[in-house]
Amino acid sequence: MSHIVKTFPGVRALDDVSFNLKSGEVLALLGENGAGKSTLMKILRGVQGRDSGEMIIFGKPCGDLTPQSAAALGIAMIHQELNMCGHLTVAENIFLGREPMKGMVVDRRKMNEETREVLARLNMDISPDTVVGNLAVSKQQMVEIAKALSADAEILIMDEPTSALTAKEIEDLFEIIRKLRSEGKGIVYISHRLEELEHIADRVTIMRDGKYISSSDFKDTTMDSIIADMVGREITEKFPKARCERGKKILEVKRLSAGKAVKDVSFDLYEGEILGVAGLMGAGRTEMTRALFGADKKDSGEVVLDGKTLKINSPRDAIKAGIVLAPEDRKKDGLCTRLPVRENISLPNLDMLSNLFGKVNRRKEADMVSHAVSDFKIKLPTPEVDADTLSGGNQQKVVVAKWLSGHSRVVIFDEPTRGIDVAAKVEIYRLMNELKLAGMGVMFVSSEMPEVMGVSDRIIVMCGGRVTGEMMAEDATQEEILRRATDFSRKEATDQ
């Protein structure tokens, strides 16, 4: 790809970018959110057209591609945001648009057989007849990967493929990547988890602000130089932590149970504290936050805020009380993607922006949105663009910004740094510190143990829907957190 230019209204997403990929290599394509990585790959995959520039694929010049012509050339892409049809089966999703036919009807036996084969390559024990919407997010992500593998692509683009996977699933994926590389496939690997690169990357290409910055063999570079090229400066502190005296108890959760995923959970949260919630996929952490926020029905338990027992039957009750949630799935649960950023930020704060007759004060709204965009460094041409046009990291910032424009007592972050770049992660950490210093209580759910240890003041660990450990962050080790996160003996004993 040579001298590629792509402009959207008010912003130049790609500015004279050149890029190359060789067969039999894993190329890590890196950059901050909004650097243009996904846009460049969408042009290669035929999802978007370019304004100018040249593409040569397998030695032949190509015009603008379509998804169909790109697939015919052997180009497949695993998107950062899941593109599953939740009401269809695993097999139907994997072969959507290219179903094997037997005369005039779909050959379901052949489709299911081929689905089993590709799932077996990923060590996935899932029936081809399973409805995708019934699967956990991590399993849906693996189905997305299986869909790309089933196309037997020569060029495979992976955009944040591990963001929702367990450690075992990630290692299985890395094994598949190494096998594909040995077969001569060219793989573009986009990830903000830089620690993954040492396991699979041959070469690194870095973009910043829509421009090509550098390209080098991975063995000849360092993490510090990669980060410096990505953000244009050196990141001196990976996990900034503000120090302050812990205040009074804000939140007390007593014996909370919800469905099969949350069982008898109790913990406290204090002013001026970040409480980390650690655990493996399926531990019940997200389900616990949703029950606490009123998004899911709780079966039993008590929630006490500032000494007052709350009745939380819906998110509206939680928001009114001062408990807010930045959810794990930002596009599904955190944003109205077809609405402008302005409306996403103002929607939860209409009581502050409206008069007695419900009319919104546009000047107040503009001030609130302007401060949110500035404080969170949200990259966008104008607040009137739809939320789904933003990069993943900037979408995450909007999710957080809309809550913090109001007056909250407890802020729950569920995997807030998933799929965002190093610099944006540090901004989220600094924001949590600011909330802590302002006397709020912060809950921070993360699957990354170094992140939980680096950001939190105190940590609770969950396993099998229960709290299996609690420790001060300064005393925590990854080994101890993992031991508690796999403490199924305690979980099973308490179930009996």
Side-chain angles (χ1 to χ4, degrees):
M1 303 177 78
S2 304
H3 308 293
I4 304 293
V5 173
K6 178 66 178 179
T7 304
F8 296 106
V11 61
R12 177 161 282 201
L14 297 174
D15 187 1
D16 195 38
V17 174
S18 294
F19 167 89
N20 68 79
L21 174 70
K22 303 170 186 174
S23 62
E25 76 165 350
V26 178
L27 173 68
L29 181 58
L30 308 177
E32 290 187 271
N33 293 107
K37 310 180 301 293
S38 294
T39 301
L40 186 68
M41 291 300 100
K42 285 176 181 177
I43 291 172
L44 177 58
R45 181 63 181 87
V47 177
Q48 292 175 344
R50 66 223 147 113
D51 297 338
S52 62
E54 184 183 25
M55 289 196 293
I56 298 175
I57 302 174
F58 304 120
K60 296 180 180 179
C62 296
D64 277 337
L65 298 173
T66 64
Q68 292 77 15
S69 62
L73 283 171
I75 303 170
M77 183 171 183
I78 299 163
H79 294 272
Q80 179 179 353
E81 306 295 345
L82 295 175
N83 286 318
M84 297 283 98
C85 297
H87 64 291
L88 299 181
T89 67
V90 170
E92 288 167 341
N93 269 279
I94 288 176
F95 284 92
L96 189 63
R98 52 185 187 88
E99 296 86 351
M101 304 299 292
K102 194 173 186 179
M104 298 294 291
V105 298
V106 174
D107 188 342
R108 292 192 172 275
R109 177 178 293 181
K110 183 177 181 181
M111 187 166 71
N112 285 346
E113 285 176 0
E114 293 186 13
T115 297
R116 287 190 189 92
E117 289 174 8
V118 72
L119 292 175
R121 292 177 68 188
L122 291 167
N123 291 328
M124 288 182 66
D125 185 18
I126 298 176
S127 169
D129 295 321
T130 303
V131 175
V132 163
N134 296 333
L135 296 175
V137 173
S138 67
K139 299 299 183 188
Q140 290 185 34
Q141 181 72 73
M142 293 298 277
V143 173
E144 183 87 61
I145 293 166
K147 182 177 181 178
L149 292 180
S150 70
D152 196 27
E154 293 298 319
I155 296 174
L156 185 57
I157 305 161
M158 297 185 169
D159 192 352
E160 297 287 349
T162 64
S163 61
L165 302 187
T166 65
K168 175 66 169 62
E169 288 166 340
I170 290 172
E171 187 48 51
D172 288 343
L173 176 61
F174 286 172
E175 204 53 51
I176 287 288
I177 289 173
R178 295 182 193 109
K179 185 173 186 297
L180 293 172
R181 176 175 57 190
S182 71
E183 294 172 359
K185 313 292 188 186
I187 299 170
V188 182
Y189 191 85
I190 302 173
S191 179
H192 295 303
R193 293 179 169 181
L194 300 184
E195 67 277 5
E196 294 177 350
L197 303 185
E198 63 181 283
H199 300 288
I200 52 171
D202 299 304
R203 201 157 52 91
V204 178
T205 291
I206 298 173
M207 295 177 63
R208 185 171 71 241
D209 297 329
K211 294 183 173 67
Y212 168 87
I213 299 299
S214 66
S215 189
S216 58
D217 289 340
F218 179 74
K219 65 181 185 333
D220 297 331
T221 189
T222 65
M223 285 299 171
D224 287 342
S225 65
I226 288 173
I227 293 170
D229 277 351
M230 284 172 58
V231 303
R233 65 188 187 280
E234 188 177 354
I235 300 291
T236 55
E237 196 173 13
K238 193 174 181 182
F239 299 116
K241 181 179 281 191
R243 305 289 178 183
C244 67
E245 288 292 321
R246 190 171 82 171
K248 67 178 183 180
K249 186 186 296 183
I250 292 182
L251 181 71
E252 190 174 1
V253 177
K254 302 177 182 178
R255 311 201 71 171
L256 177 68
S257 294
K260 296 180 180 179
V262 184
K263 305 169 185 176
D264 202 33
V265 168
S266 299
F267 62 88
D268 302 326
L269 178 65
Y270 293 82
E271 284 183 344
E273 173 185 60
I274 298 176
L275 176 66
V277 185
L280 303 178
M281 291 281 184
R285 298 164 302 159
T286 291
E287 292 83 356
M288 180 267 291
T289 65
R290 288 178 58 85
L292 187 56
F293 185 57
D296 291 340
K297 183 177 180 294
K298 72 175 188 291
D299 298 327
S300 60
E302 192 176 354
V303 178
V304 181
L305 183 69
D306 289 323
K308 180 182 176 182
T309 301
L310 303 179
K311 273 193 171 182
I312 299 179
N313 296 315
S314 69
R316 178 180 292 182
D317 296 334
I319 296 165
K320 189 174 180 181
I323 300 174
V324 298
L325 169 67
E328 177 184 29
D329 191 333
R330 56 178 170 257
K331 290 192 81 169
K332 177 172 172 283
D333 300 322
L335 291 170
C336 298
T337 54
R338 297 299 179 89
L339 291 183
V341 170
R342 169 182 58 80
E343 292 185 19
N344 271 278
I345 292 175
S346 60
L347 266 174
N349 303 295
L350 290 177
D351 57 335
M352 298 167 52
L353 300 173
S354 305
N355 62 21
L356 291 174
F357 302 101
K359 184 177 181 180
V360 175
N361 185 318
R362 296 300 178 188
R363 180 175 292 178
K364 276 188 179 180
E365 182 188 41
D367 286 345
M368 174 181 283
V369 172
S370 176
H371 280 109
V373 170
S374 174
D375 292 347
F376 286 84
K377 299 183 177 65
I378 302 172
K379 292 182 180 178
L380 75 176
T382 163
E384 297 307 314
V385 299
D386 288 354
D388 66 354
T389 65
L390 302 184
S391 66
N394 285 302
Q395 287 180 347
Q396 185 66 281
K397 292 178 186 179
V398 173
V399 172
V400 177
K402 71 176 186 179
W403 292 128
L404 303 184
S405 297
H407 303 293
S408 308
R409 286 291 282 147
V410 173
V411 184
I412 306 169
F413 294 88
D414 189 2
E415 302 283 5
T417 62
R418 175 174 290 165
I420 67 175
D421 60 72
V422 177
K425 285 181 181 180
V426 173
E427 288 173 22
I428 296 289
Y429 303 149
R430 292 193 191 283
L431 167 67
M432 288 194 276
N433 281 319
E434 288 172 16
L435 299 178
K436 179 172 90 169
L437 292 171
M440 295 185 196
V442 179
M443 285 181 61
F444 174 46
V445 178
S446 175
S447 301
E448 304 292 330
M449 283 189 279
E451 185 177 60
V452 174
M453 294 165 58
V455 176
S456 307
D457 298 298
R458 186 164 53 93
I459 300 169
I460 61 172
V461 186
M462 292 185 66
C463 173
R466 299 183 183 274
V467 174
T468 52
E470 179 180 333
M471 63 202 77
M472 299 305 294
E474 60 196 27
D475 301 325
T477 64
Q478 290 198 45
E479 291 76 14
E480 177 63 13
I481 292 174
L482 187 59
R483 187 175 73 81
R484 296 289 189 178
T486 54
D487 194 357
F488 289 96
S489 59
R490 176 174 173 178
K491 174 250 177 188
E492 288 163 359
T494 51
D495 281 347
Q496 293 174 358

